[in-house]
Amino acid sequence: MSLVAVIGIQWGDEGKGKIVDLYSKDANCVVRYQGGSNAGHTVAVGEEVIALHHIPSGILYPNVKCLIGSGVVVDPYVILDEINMLREKGFVQNPAQLAISPLANMIMPYHRWLDVAREQARGERKIGTTGRGVGPAQEDRVGRRGIRMYELLHEERLEAAIAAVVPEKNALLEYYGVKERVSPSVLAAELSHLGKKLTPFIQSVDSLLFQSMARGENVLFEGAQGVLLDLDIGSVPYVTSSNTTAATCLSGAGVMVPHSLDAIIGVSKAYATRVGEGPFPTEQVNEDGSKMREIGGEFGTTTGRARRCGWLDLVALKYAVRVSGCTALAITKIDVLSYFDKIQICTGYRMGDETVSDIPDAMSLTHVQPYYEESPGWKEDLTSARHLKDLPMKARHYIDLIEDFTKCPVVSISVGPRRDQTIERKKPWKL
Ligand code: IMP
């Protein structure tokens, strides 16, 4: 048995969907364990690009069981659309392929309204959330006011749970000047309708996972967002509402017995992007940044927002590798850098007269001055490279620099969006 986690080690959008898809072919189970419908994982299959928000990217392999653990906040409206979209395309023909934990908290319409309203109320201090209601749903989870998936299976209990929270939600909506109000009867009717369609998928994820592990199967844990967006150790307050390091994967999946992971694969783009507000030392608000956005198609999967773009920041990457215990790296979208005459890479931060190559925490990312090493670009098309030796020497040096700086081996390099456009150096199962 191998337990492998794939996590983002920048600010999300690193291309985890593609990497999970790559390793899913050798997995028995793929598990989501944190985040919610704020995530946007895209996978290209042939000419088609499939965007997933809750459902693990392993769903595209019919023999892989996909599990959504109790640590994920699930929007029943969004997940049903996702299931329908996948079924129309010929996936998830057998409902047993997908299990949603009955213990997962739900994102309700009022969570989405409150998310948007709170952002507006923050004015210039806004976080730049995805507006999907994930933060308010997590607040209710921690406040023990959340309504969980299993309530969908019992109409009366569902009605009672909604009735208990509605007065507070309507008072909050009024406070924030939101025009919508929650009608308990309308919400209960909508949710029981959704619940009937979701019932086949609501299954005990922890026991399925326990059985899979007892059979000695390979389990892949699919992280959402990225380490620098972690609720505790990211660039607070400009972060998401869950813990994004691999540390959460066992509890968020419902594995309560301690196990150790065999590998933690940290996924990073060959450059850097961020959506929403917050520090981004290597951001390029110039022609280079625009070029990365245009060539890399850097627009949010969930919100369509233009992503902020910049050079790869090795100092931030080294921090993310350290705090998340990465044992290997997957580098994505290196082909985008082929269009640049000169490539910069941040190898230090200037602090007064000193240049440092380590930071104690992600709060240090505010007000640092990046120091770059510049090299001529390789200016060659990389999209048909399938082995390291197919890459031009300058691109290989770029990979070597990432490995040397982070002290972490690069096990895969993505040279285009398609499944086959990948250089696979080592399988994580055997690391
Ligand atoms: P929230 O998770 O919607 O509350 O948003 C909080 C911050 O996390 C914002 O900066 C979002 O842009 C960012 N964020 C949340 N999910 C993702 C993601 O999947 N990719 C990139 N950024 C994300």
Side-chain angles (χ1 to χ4, degrees), residues 11-13 16 38-41 115 127-136 224-226 229 237-241 274-277 302 305 307:
W11 286 282
D13 306 319
K16 295 177 288 294
N38 47 357
H41 295 171
D115 193 358
I127 296 167
T129 70
T130 58
R132 290 299 189 109
V134 173
Q225 291 85 43
L229 286 176
Y238 302 102
V239 292
T240 191
S241 49
R274 176 168 200 165
V275 268
E277 308 302 312
T302 302
R305 287 181 291 179
R307 295 178 185 143

PDB file of all heavy atoms in Angstrom, residues 11-13 16 38-41 115 127-136 224-226 229 237-241 274-277 302 305 307, ligand 1:
ATOM      1  N   TRP A  11       0.074  29.618  -4.442  1.00  0.00           N
ATOM      2  CA  TRP A  11      -1.208  30.207  -4.000  1.00  0.00           C
ATOM      3  C   TRP A  11      -2.383  29.533  -4.701  1.00  0.00           C
ATOM      4  O   TRP A  11      -3.346  30.191  -5.056  1.00  0.00           O
ATOM      5  CB  TRP A  11      -1.205  31.707  -4.288  1.00  0.00           C
ATOM      6  CG  TRP A  11      -0.355  32.500  -3.355  1.00  0.00           C
ATOM      7  CD1 TRP A  11      -0.673  32.866  -2.081  1.00  0.00           C
ATOM      8  CD2 TRP A  11       0.935  33.049  -3.607  1.00  0.00           C
ATOM      9  NE1 TRP A  11       0.347  33.602  -1.532  1.00  0.00           N
ATOM     10  CE2 TRP A  11       1.340  33.733  -2.446  1.00  0.00           C
ATOM     11  CE3 TRP A  11       1.796  33.039  -4.710  1.00  0.00           C
ATOM     12  CZ2 TRP A  11       2.556  34.393  -2.346  1.00  0.00           C
ATOM     13  CZ3 TRP A  11       3.003  33.697  -4.601  1.00  0.00           C
ATOM     14  CH2 TRP A  11       3.372  34.368  -3.436  1.00  0.00           C
ATOM     15  N   GLY A  12      -2.289  28.248  -4.930  1.00  0.00           N
ATOM     16  CA  GLY A  12      -3.357  27.558  -5.656  1.00  0.00           C
ATOM     17  C   GLY A  12      -3.131  27.668  -7.157  1.00  0.00           C
ATOM     18  O   GLY A  12      -2.203  28.355  -7.615  1.00  0.00           O
ATOM     19  N   ASP A  13      -3.953  26.938  -7.906  1.00  0.00           N
ATOM     20  CA  ASP A  13      -3.909  26.967  -9.383  1.00  0.00           C
ATOM     21  C   ASP A  13      -2.577  26.491  -9.952  1.00  0.00           C
ATOM     22  O   ASP A  13      -2.165  26.915 -11.030  1.00  0.00           O
ATOM     23  CB  ASP A  13      -4.206  28.389  -9.923  1.00  0.00           C
ATOM     24  CG  ASP A  13      -5.493  28.934  -9.392  1.00  0.00           C
ATOM     25  OD1 ASP A  13      -6.464  28.156  -9.323  1.00  0.00           O
ATOM     26  OD2 ASP A  13      -5.538  30.121  -9.030  1.00  0.00           O
ATOM     27  N   LYS A  16      -2.661  21.110 -10.066  1.00  0.00           N
ATOM     28  CA  LYS A  16      -2.779  19.855  -9.298  1.00  0.00           C
ATOM     29  C   LYS A  16      -3.672  18.846 -10.013  1.00  0.00           C
ATOM     30  O   LYS A  16      -3.438  17.654  -9.964  1.00  0.00           O
ATOM     31  CB  LYS A  16      -3.357  20.127  -7.898  1.00  0.00           C
ATOM     32  CG  LYS A  16      -2.469  20.971  -7.031  1.00  0.00           C
ATOM     33  CD  LYS A  16      -3.119  21.263  -5.697  1.00  0.00           C
ATOM     34  CE  LYS A  16      -4.260  22.237  -5.760  1.00  0.00           C
ATOM     35  NZ  LYS A  16      -3.924  23.605  -6.142  1.00  0.00           N
ATOM     36  N   ASN A  38     -14.646  26.243  -3.783  1.00  0.00           N
ATOM     37  CA  ASN A  38     -13.711  27.298  -4.205  1.00  0.00           C
ATOM     38  C   ASN A  38     -12.617  26.733  -5.112  1.00  0.00           C
ATOM     39  O   ASN A  38     -12.003  27.455  -5.886  1.00  0.00           O
ATOM     40  CB  ASN A  38     -13.077  27.990  -2.977  1.00  0.00           C
ATOM     41  CG  ASN A  38     -12.571  27.017  -1.925  1.00  0.00           C
ATOM     42  OD1 ASN A  38     -12.723  25.804  -2.052  1.00  0.00           O
ATOM     43  ND2 ASN A  38     -11.968  27.548  -0.880  1.00  0.00           N
ATOM     44  N   ALA A  39     -12.368  25.425  -5.014  1.00  0.00           N
ATOM     45  CA  ALA A  39     -11.293  24.823  -5.809  1.00  0.00           C
ATOM     46  C   ALA A  39     -11.729  24.707  -7.262  1.00  0.00           C
ATOM     47  O   ALA A  39     -12.899  24.540  -7.559  1.00  0.00           O
ATOM     48  CB  ALA A  39     -10.970  23.441  -5.260  1.00  0.00           C
ATOM     49  N   GLY A  40     -10.771  24.808  -8.148  1.00  0.00           N
ATOM     50  CA  GLY A  40     -11.072  24.619  -9.566  1.00  0.00           C
ATOM     51  C   GLY A  40      -9.952  23.815 -10.182  1.00  0.00           C
ATOM     52  O   GLY A  40      -8.885  24.343 -10.454  1.00  0.00           O
ATOM     53  N   HIS A  41     -10.171  22.515 -10.334  1.00  0.00           N
ATOM     54  CA  HIS A  41      -9.124  21.652 -10.879  1.00  0.00           C
ATOM     55  C   HIS A  41      -9.475  21.310 -12.324  1.00  0.00           C
ATOM     56  O   HIS A  41     -10.551  20.797 -12.584  1.00  0.00           O
ATOM     57  CB  HIS A  41      -9.007  20.374 -10.040  1.00  0.00           C
ATOM     58  CG  HIS A  41      -8.539  20.658  -8.632  1.00  0.00           C
ATOM     59  ND1 HIS A  41      -8.530  19.722  -7.636  1.00  0.00           N
ATOM     60  CD2 HIS A  41      -8.055  21.793  -8.081  1.00  0.00           C
ATOM     61  CE1 HIS A  41      -8.063  20.283  -6.525  1.00  0.00           C
ATOM     62  NE2 HIS A  41      -7.775  21.541  -6.776  1.00  0.00           N
ATOM     63  N   ASP A 115     -20.752  35.445   2.100  1.00  0.00           N
ATOM     64  CA  ASP A 115     -19.367  35.546   1.636  1.00  0.00           C
ATOM     65  C   ASP A 115     -19.206  36.833   0.813  1.00  0.00           C
ATOM     66  O   ASP A 115     -18.301  37.658   1.072  1.00  0.00           O
ATOM     67  CB  ASP A 115     -19.041  34.304   0.778  1.00  0.00           C
ATOM     68  CG  ASP A 115     -17.566  34.133   0.490  1.00  0.00           C
ATOM     69  OD1 ASP A 115     -16.774  34.983   0.917  1.00  0.00           O
ATOM     70  OD2 ASP A 115     -17.189  33.134  -0.166  1.00  0.00           O
ATOM     71  N   ILE A 127     -10.510  40.293   1.014  1.00  0.00           N
ATOM     72  CA  ILE A 127      -9.570  39.172   0.837  1.00  0.00           C
ATOM     73  C   ILE A 127      -9.493  38.780  -0.637  1.00  0.00           C
ATOM     74  O   ILE A 127      -8.482  38.286  -1.109  1.00  0.00           O
ATOM     75  CB  ILE A 127     -10.038  37.967   1.691  1.00  0.00           C
ATOM     76  CG1 ILE A 127      -9.988  38.330   3.179  1.00  0.00           C
ATOM     77  CG2 ILE A 127      -9.208  36.710   1.424  1.00  0.00           C
ATOM     78  CD1 ILE A 127     -10.709  37.353   4.087  1.00  0.00           C
ATOM     79  N   GLY A 128     -10.595  39.034  -1.346  1.00  0.00           N
ATOM     80  CA  GLY A 128     -10.664  38.577  -2.743  1.00  0.00           C
ATOM     81  C   GLY A 128     -11.100  37.123  -2.794  1.00  0.00           C
ATOM     82  O   GLY A 128     -10.538  36.332  -3.549  1.00  0.00           O
ATOM     83  N   THR A 129     -12.088  36.744  -1.970  1.00  0.00           N
ATOM     84  CA  THR A 129     -12.527  35.335  -1.937  1.00  0.00           C
ATOM     85  C   THR A 129     -13.180  34.959  -3.262  1.00  0.00           C
ATOM     86  O   THR A 129     -13.504  35.832  -4.077  1.00  0.00           O
ATOM     87  CB  THR A 129     -13.556  35.075  -0.809  1.00  0.00           C
ATOM     88  OG1 THR A 129     -14.796  35.715  -1.160  1.00  0.00           O
ATOM     89  CG2 THR A 129     -13.083  35.580   0.531  1.00  0.00           C
ATOM     90  N   THR A 130     -13.420  33.680  -3.420  1.00  0.00           N
ATOM     91  CA  THR A 130     -14.073  33.203  -4.645  1.00  0.00           C
ATOM     92  C   THR A 130     -15.579  33.457  -4.586  1.00  0.00           C
ATOM     93  O   THR A 130     -16.271  33.232  -5.568  1.00  0.00           O
ATOM     94  CB  THR A 130     -13.836  31.692  -4.828  1.00  0.00           C
ATOM     95  OG1 THR A 130     -14.342  31.017  -3.666  1.00  0.00           O
ATOM     96  CG2 THR A 130     -12.372  31.365  -5.005  1.00  0.00           C
ATOM     97  N   GLY A 131     -16.080  33.870  -3.428  1.00  0.00           N
ATOM     98  CA  GLY A 131     -17.514  34.143  -3.300  1.00  0.00           C
ATOM     99  C   GLY A 131     -18.361  32.883  -3.285  1.00  0.00           C
ATOM    100  O   GLY A 131     -19.579  32.942  -3.458  1.00  0.00           O
ATOM    101  N   ARG A 132     -17.730  31.739  -3.067  1.00  0.00           N
ATOM    102  CA  ARG A 132     -18.458  30.463  -3.111  1.00  0.00           C
ATOM    103  C   ARG A 132     -19.077  30.079  -1.758  1.00  0.00           C
ATOM    104  O   ARG A 132     -19.648  29.010  -1.617  1.00  0.00           O
ATOM    105  CB  ARG A 132     -17.524  29.343  -3.575  1.00  0.00           C
ATOM    106  CG  ARG A 132     -17.142  29.441  -5.039  1.00  0.00           C
ATOM    107  CD  ARG A 132     -18.386  29.353  -5.898  1.00  0.00           C
ATOM    108  NE  ARG A 132     -18.092  29.222  -7.307  1.00  0.00           N
ATOM    109  CZ  ARG A 132     -18.288  28.102  -8.013  1.00  0.00           C
ATOM    110  NH1 ARG A 132     -18.745  27.023  -7.457  1.00  0.00           N
ATOM    111  NH2 ARG A 132     -18.036  28.095  -9.311  1.00  0.00           N
ATOM    112  N   GLY A 133     -18.874  30.901  -0.741  1.00  0.00           N
ATOM    113  CA  GLY A 133     -19.489  30.607   0.560  1.00  0.00           C
ATOM    114  C   GLY A 133     -18.683  29.664   1.429  1.00  0.00           C
ATOM    115  O   GLY A 133     -19.149  29.197   2.473  1.00  0.00           O
ATOM    116  N   VAL A 134     -17.437  29.399   1.011  1.00  0.00           N
ATOM    117  CA  VAL A 134     -16.631  28.410   1.726  1.00  0.00           C
ATOM    118  C   VAL A 134     -16.267  28.901   3.141  1.00  0.00           C
ATOM    119  O   VAL A 134     -16.416  28.152   4.119  1.00  0.00           O
ATOM    120  CB  VAL A 134     -15.373  28.061   0.886  1.00  0.00           C
ATOM    121  CG1 VAL A 134     -14.431  27.176   1.662  1.00  0.00           C
ATOM    122  CG2 VAL A 134     -15.806  27.374  -0.394  1.00  0.00           C
ATOM    123  N   GLY A 135     -15.836  30.153   3.249  1.00  0.00           N
ATOM    124  CA  GLY A 135     -15.463  30.702   4.563  1.00  0.00           C
ATOM    125  C   GLY A 135     -16.639  30.658   5.537  1.00  0.00           C
ATOM    126  O   GLY A 135     -16.533  30.080   6.635  1.00  0.00           O
ATOM    127  N   PRO A 136     -17.798  31.243   5.187  1.00  0.00           N
ATOM    128  CA  PRO A 136     -18.938  31.190   6.110  1.00  0.00           C
ATOM    129  C   PRO A 136     -19.377  29.752   6.443  1.00  0.00           C
ATOM    130  O   PRO A 136     -19.800  29.478   7.572  1.00  0.00           O
ATOM    131  CB  PRO A 136     -20.040  31.944   5.346  1.00  0.00           C
ATOM    132  CG  PRO A 136     -19.283  32.910   4.475  1.00  0.00           C
ATOM    133  CD  PRO A 136     -18.028  32.182   4.071  1.00  0.00           C
ATOM    134  N   ALA A 224      -6.402  20.869  -2.127  1.00  0.00           N
ATOM    135  CA  ALA A 224      -6.956  22.004  -2.873  1.00  0.00           C
ATOM    136  C   ALA A 224      -6.247  23.269  -2.395  1.00  0.00           C
ATOM    137  O   ALA A 224      -5.656  23.293  -1.317  1.00  0.00           O
ATOM    138  CB  ALA A 224      -8.456  22.109  -2.633  1.00  0.00           C
ATOM    139  N   GLN A 225      -6.296  24.314  -3.203  1.00  0.00           N
ATOM    140  CA  GLN A 225      -5.569  25.571  -2.944  1.00  0.00           C
ATOM    141  C   GLN A 225      -4.060  25.291  -2.801  1.00  0.00           C
ATOM    142  O   GLN A 225      -3.586  24.325  -3.385  1.00  0.00           O
ATOM    143  CB  GLN A 225      -6.127  26.301  -1.712  1.00  0.00           C
ATOM    144  CG  GLN A 225      -7.549  26.875  -1.912  1.00  0.00           C
ATOM    145  CD  GLN A 225      -8.656  25.874  -1.644  1.00  0.00           C
ATOM    146  OE1 GLN A 225      -8.608  25.125  -0.693  1.00  0.00           O
ATOM    147  NE2 GLN A 225      -9.669  25.871  -2.479  1.00  0.00           N
ATOM    148  N   GLY A 226      -3.360  26.104  -2.021  1.00  0.00           N
ATOM    149  CA  GLY A 226      -1.908  25.915  -1.929  1.00  0.00           C
ATOM    150  C   GLY A 226      -1.414  26.301  -0.553  1.00  0.00           C
ATOM    151  O   GLY A 226      -2.115  26.974   0.219  1.00  0.00           O
ATOM    152  N   LEU A 229      -1.745  29.670   0.970  1.00  0.00           N
ATOM    153  CA  LEU A 229      -3.119  30.088   1.297  1.00  0.00           C
ATOM    154  C   LEU A 229      -3.621  29.374   2.546  1.00  0.00           C
ATOM    155  O   LEU A 229      -4.808  29.435   2.862  1.00  0.00           O
ATOM    156  CB  LEU A 229      -4.061  29.770   0.131  1.00  0.00           C
ATOM    157  CG  LEU A 229      -3.986  30.640  -1.125  1.00  0.00           C
ATOM    158  CD1 LEU A 229      -4.930  30.100  -2.196  1.00  0.00           C
ATOM    159  CD2 LEU A 229      -4.350  32.086  -0.810  1.00  0.00           C
ATOM    160  N   PRO A 237      -4.224  37.803   6.543  1.00  0.00           N
ATOM    161  CA  PRO A 237      -5.555  37.219   6.377  1.00  0.00           C
ATOM    162  C   PRO A 237      -5.904  36.851   4.933  1.00  0.00           C
ATOM    163  O   PRO A 237      -7.044  36.472   4.675  1.00  0.00           O
ATOM    164  CB  PRO A 237      -6.472  38.346   6.871  1.00  0.00           C
ATOM    165  CG  PRO A 237      -5.761  39.591   6.417  1.00  0.00           C
ATOM    166  CD  PRO A 237      -4.277  39.271   6.541  1.00  0.00           C
ATOM    167  N   TYR A 238      -4.943  37.000   4.016  1.00  0.00           N
ATOM    168  CA  TYR A 238      -5.253  36.770   2.598  1.00  0.00           C
ATOM    169  C   TYR A 238      -5.096  35.286   2.277  1.00  0.00           C
ATOM    170  O   TYR A 238      -4.201  34.893   1.510  1.00  0.00           O
ATOM    171  CB  TYR A 238      -4.352  37.654   1.725  1.00  0.00           C
ATOM    172  CG  TYR A 238      -4.527  39.104   2.076  1.00  0.00           C
ATOM    173  CD1 TYR A 238      -3.587  39.776   2.862  1.00  0.00           C
ATOM    174  CD2 TYR A 238      -5.669  39.788   1.669  1.00  0.00           C
ATOM    175  CE1 TYR A 238      -3.778  41.099   3.212  1.00  0.00           C
ATOM    176  CE2 TYR A 238      -5.868  41.111   2.032  1.00  0.00           C
ATOM    177  CZ  TYR A 238      -4.923  41.755   2.798  1.00  0.00           C
ATOM    178  OH  TYR A 238      -5.119  43.058   3.156  1.00  0.00           O
ATOM    179  N   VAL A 239      -5.920  34.487   2.884  1.00  0.00           N
ATOM    180  CA  VAL A 239      -5.802  33.031   2.790  1.00  0.00           C
ATOM    181  C   VAL A 239      -7.194  32.431   2.668  1.00  0.00           C
ATOM    182  O   VAL A 239      -8.192  33.129   2.807  1.00  0.00           O
ATOM    183  CB  VAL A 239      -5.094  32.449   4.042  1.00  0.00           C
ATOM    184  CG1 VAL A 239      -3.640  32.855   4.078  1.00  0.00           C
ATOM    185  CG2 VAL A 239      -5.808  32.864   5.320  1.00  0.00           C
ATOM    186  N   THR A 240      -7.236  31.129   2.466  1.00  0.00           N
ATOM    187  CA  THR A 240      -8.517  30.443   2.436  1.00  0.00           C
ATOM    188  C   THR A 240      -8.890  29.997   3.850  1.00  0.00           C
ATOM    189  O   THR A 240      -8.170  30.301   4.814  1.00  0.00           O
ATOM    190  CB  THR A 240      -8.480  29.283   1.407  1.00  0.00           C
ATOM    191  OG1 THR A 240      -9.811  28.808   1.210  1.00  0.00           O
ATOM    192  CG2 THR A 240      -7.575  28.143   1.860  1.00  0.00           C
ATOM    193  N   SER A 241     -10.012  29.275   3.984  1.00  0.00           N
ATOM    194  CA  SER A 241     -10.511  28.998   5.334  1.00  0.00           C
ATOM    195  C   SER A 241     -10.201  27.575   5.793  1.00  0.00           C
ATOM    196  O   SER A 241     -10.842  27.085   6.722  1.00  0.00           O
ATOM    197  CB  SER A 241     -12.018  29.254   5.363  1.00  0.00           C
ATOM    198  OG  SER A 241     -12.623  28.602   4.272  1.00  0.00           O
ATOM    199  N   ARG A 274      -1.302  34.256  -8.602  1.00  0.00           N
ATOM    200  CA  ARG A 274      -2.136  34.394  -7.418  1.00  0.00           C
ATOM    201  C   ARG A 274      -3.455  35.050  -7.832  1.00  0.00           C
ATOM    202  O   ARG A 274      -3.438  35.961  -8.657  1.00  0.00           O
ATOM    203  CB  ARG A 274      -1.392  35.255  -6.382  1.00  0.00           C
ATOM    204  CG  ARG A 274      -2.201  35.545  -5.152  1.00  0.00           C
ATOM    205  CD  ARG A 274      -1.441  36.129  -3.980  1.00  0.00           C
ATOM    206  NE  ARG A 274      -2.314  35.855  -2.839  1.00  0.00           N
ATOM    207  CZ  ARG A 274      -2.004  35.919  -1.574  1.00  0.00           C
ATOM    208  NH1 ARG A 274      -0.791  36.261  -1.216  1.00  0.00           N
ATOM    209  NH2 ARG A 274      -2.870  35.627  -0.635  1.00  0.00           N
ATOM    210  N   VAL A 275      -4.571  34.587  -7.269  1.00  0.00           N
ATOM    211  CA  VAL A 275      -5.831  35.324  -7.452  1.00  0.00           C
ATOM    212  C   VAL A 275      -6.251  35.862  -6.101  1.00  0.00           C
ATOM    213  O   VAL A 275      -5.960  35.255  -5.082  1.00  0.00           O
ATOM    214  CB  VAL A 275      -7.007  34.481  -8.014  1.00  0.00           C
ATOM    215  CG1 VAL A 275      -7.093  34.548  -9.503  1.00  0.00           C
ATOM    216  CG2 VAL A 275      -7.003  33.071  -7.512  1.00  0.00           C
ATOM    217  N   GLY A 276      -6.937  36.971  -6.107  1.00  0.00           N
ATOM    218  CA  GLY A 276      -7.325  37.577  -4.835  1.00  0.00           C
ATOM    219  C   GLY A 276      -6.220  38.495  -4.349  1.00  0.00           C
ATOM    220  O   GLY A 276      -5.174  38.663  -4.993  1.00  0.00           O
ATOM    221  N   GLU A 277      -6.451  39.066  -3.168  1.00  0.00           N
ATOM    222  CA  GLU A 277      -5.518  40.070  -2.642  1.00  0.00           C
ATOM    223  C   GLU A 277      -4.383  39.379  -1.884  1.00  0.00           C
ATOM    224  O   GLU A 277      -4.385  38.174  -1.714  1.00  0.00           O
ATOM    225  CB  GLU A 277      -6.265  41.005  -1.684  1.00  0.00           C
ATOM    226  CG  GLU A 277      -7.536  41.608  -2.258  1.00  0.00           C
ATOM    227  CD  GLU A 277      -7.300  42.392  -3.532  1.00  0.00           C
ATOM    228  OE1 GLU A 277      -6.368  43.215  -3.554  1.00  0.00           O
ATOM    229  OE2 GLU A 277      -8.042  42.177  -4.517  1.00  0.00           O
ATOM    230  N   THR A 302     -12.738  28.838 -11.300  1.00  0.00           N
ATOM    231  CA  THR A 302     -13.974  28.964 -10.536  1.00  0.00           C
ATOM    232  C   THR A 302     -14.640  30.316 -10.772  1.00  0.00           C
ATOM    233  O   THR A 302     -15.853  30.397 -10.885  1.00  0.00           O
ATOM    234  CB  THR A 302     -13.662  28.769  -9.029  1.00  0.00           C
ATOM    235  OG1 THR A 302     -13.053  27.488  -8.891  1.00  0.00           O
ATOM    236  CG2 THR A 302     -14.910  28.816  -8.175  1.00  0.00           C
ATOM    237  N   ARG A 305     -11.679  35.108 -12.891  1.00  0.00           N
ATOM    238  CA  ARG A 305     -10.863  36.308 -12.662  1.00  0.00           C
ATOM    239  C   ARG A 305      -9.479  36.163 -13.290  1.00  0.00           C
ATOM    240  O   ARG A 305      -8.917  35.064 -13.308  1.00  0.00           O
ATOM    241  CB  ARG A 305     -10.646  36.510 -11.141  1.00  0.00           C
ATOM    242  CG  ARG A 305     -11.860  36.981 -10.411  1.00  0.00           C
ATOM    243  CD  ARG A 305     -11.570  37.181  -8.943  1.00  0.00           C
ATOM    244  NE  ARG A 305     -11.339  35.924  -8.241  1.00  0.00           N
ATOM    245  CZ  ARG A 305     -11.054  35.847  -6.948  1.00  0.00           C
ATOM    246  NH1 ARG A 305     -10.929  36.937  -6.228  1.00  0.00           N
ATOM    247  NH2 ARG A 305     -10.883  34.671  -6.368  1.00  0.00           N
ATOM    248  N   ARG A 307      -5.690  36.091 -13.280  1.00  0.00           N
ATOM    249  CA  ARG A 307      -4.733  35.819 -12.192  1.00  0.00           C
ATOM    250  C   ARG A 307      -3.577  36.808 -12.256  1.00  0.00           C
ATOM    251  O   ARG A 307      -3.149  37.194 -13.352  1.00  0.00           O
ATOM    252  CB  ARG A 307      -4.185  34.395 -12.318  1.00  0.00           C
ATOM    253  CG  ARG A 307      -5.265  33.354 -12.112  1.00  0.00           C
ATOM    254  CD  ARG A 307      -4.720  31.943 -12.292  1.00  0.00           C
ATOM    255  NE  ARG A 307      -5.800  30.983 -12.194  1.00  0.00           N
ATOM    256  CZ  ARG A 307      -5.901  29.866 -12.921  1.00  0.00           C
ATOM    257  NH1 ARG A 307      -4.966  29.553 -13.793  1.00  0.00           N
ATOM    258  NH2 ARG A 307      -6.924  29.061 -12.760  1.00  0.00           N
TER     259      ARG A 307
HETATM  260  P1  IMP B   1     -12.022  31.580  -0.382  1.00  0.00           P
HETATM  261  O1  IMP B   1     -11.344  30.274  -0.257  1.00  0.00           O
HETATM  262  O2  IMP B   1     -13.078  31.594  -1.450  1.00  0.00           O
HETATM  263  O3  IMP B   1     -12.528  32.097   0.939  1.00  0.00           O
HETATM  264  O4  IMP B   1     -10.944  32.676  -0.863  1.00  0.00           O
HETATM  265  C1  IMP B   1      -9.846  33.072  -0.054  1.00  0.00           C
HETATM  266  C2  IMP B   1      -8.582  33.258  -0.888  1.00  0.00           C
HETATM  267  O5  IMP B   1      -8.179  32.001  -1.407  1.00  0.00           O
HETATM  268  C3  IMP B   1      -8.773  34.164  -2.101  1.00  0.00           C
HETATM  269  O6  IMP B   1      -7.549  34.836  -2.355  1.00  0.00           O
HETATM  270  C4  IMP B   1      -9.033  33.202  -3.235  1.00  0.00           C
HETATM  271  O7  IMP B   1      -8.711  33.739  -4.498  1.00  0.00           O
HETATM  272  C5  IMP B   1      -8.107  32.067  -2.841  1.00  0.00           C
HETATM  273  N1  IMP B   1      -8.517  30.754  -3.368  1.00  0.00           N
HETATM  274  C6  IMP B   1      -9.480  29.937  -2.878  1.00  0.00           C
HETATM  275  N2  IMP B   1      -9.551  28.823  -3.615  1.00  0.00           N
HETATM  276  C7  IMP B   1      -8.617  28.923  -4.556  1.00  0.00           C
HETATM  277  C8  IMP B   1      -8.174  28.052  -5.605  1.00  0.00           C
HETATM  278  O8  IMP B   1      -8.659  26.933  -5.800  1.00  0.00           O
HETATM  279  N3  IMP B   1      -7.157  28.523  -6.379  1.00  0.00           N
HETATM  280  C9  IMP B   1      -6.563  29.724  -6.162  1.00  0.00           C
HETATM  281  N4  IMP B   1      -6.927  30.545  -5.200  1.00  0.00           N
HETATM  282  C10 IMP B   1      -7.951  30.160  -4.395  1.00  0.00           C
END
